[in-house]
Amino acid sequence: MRTNFLSVIDWFVPPEANTDPATLGRARIFAFSHVFGPCLGHTISLFLYFVDRQRGFPFWTIVACISAFWILPFGLKLTGKLPQLALFSVANLHVRHPVRVV
């Protein structure tokens, strides 16, 4: 089962990120966290959806930023540029918009 799981995660890891065990490990962690992380992040979206009846621009910005994480493993597969994608991921994670709960 572990082998099947790793083969799914490794699909996102390009050959240039498989140069040594440390780089492969970082690429796997990046792919795993960006495939499964938004599932946890969207629990916040669901909470805000039911609490905030206005659901304006700040709400949809949060939803879009969380959903954008699903794009990054494909970016890793296509470009192999883990440091640049990781920097974008951290910048995206720190986008803050106030959501007014009424």
Side-chain angles (χ1 to χ4, degrees):
M1 186 164 137
R2 179 181 177 197
T3 305
N4 291 337
F5 179 74
L6 283 178
S7 67
V8 170
I9 295 299
D10 285 344
W11 183 84
F12 293 105
V13 179
E16 56 268 17
N18 194 0
T19 57
D20 59 89
T23 305
L24 175 61
R26 284 192 299 273
R28 281 178 170 171
I29 290 169
F30 180 86
F32 175 83
S33 64
H34 288 83
V35 168
F36 295 104
C39 298
L40 296 173
H42 276 305
T43 59
I44 295 168
S45 302
L46 284 173
F47 171 76
L48 292 173
Y49 181 84
F50 290 110
V51 172
D52 184 10
R53 297 292 178 203
Q54 293 180 358
R55 293 180 208 105
F57 181 75
F59 170 77
W60 293 110
T61 301
I62 290 170
V63 170
C65 286
I66 293 171
S67 298
F69 280 90
W70 276 316
I71 298 169
L72 296 175
F74 294 100
L76 178 63
K77 172 109 177 135
L78 293 173
T79 68
K81 297 184 179 191
L82 181 58
Q84 293 86 347
L85 290 167
L87 179 63
F88 175 81
S89 174
V90 170
N92 183 32
L93 184 65
H94 289 287
V95 170
R96 299 283 186 232
H97 292 282
V99 175
R100 188 182 67 174
V101 178
V102 179

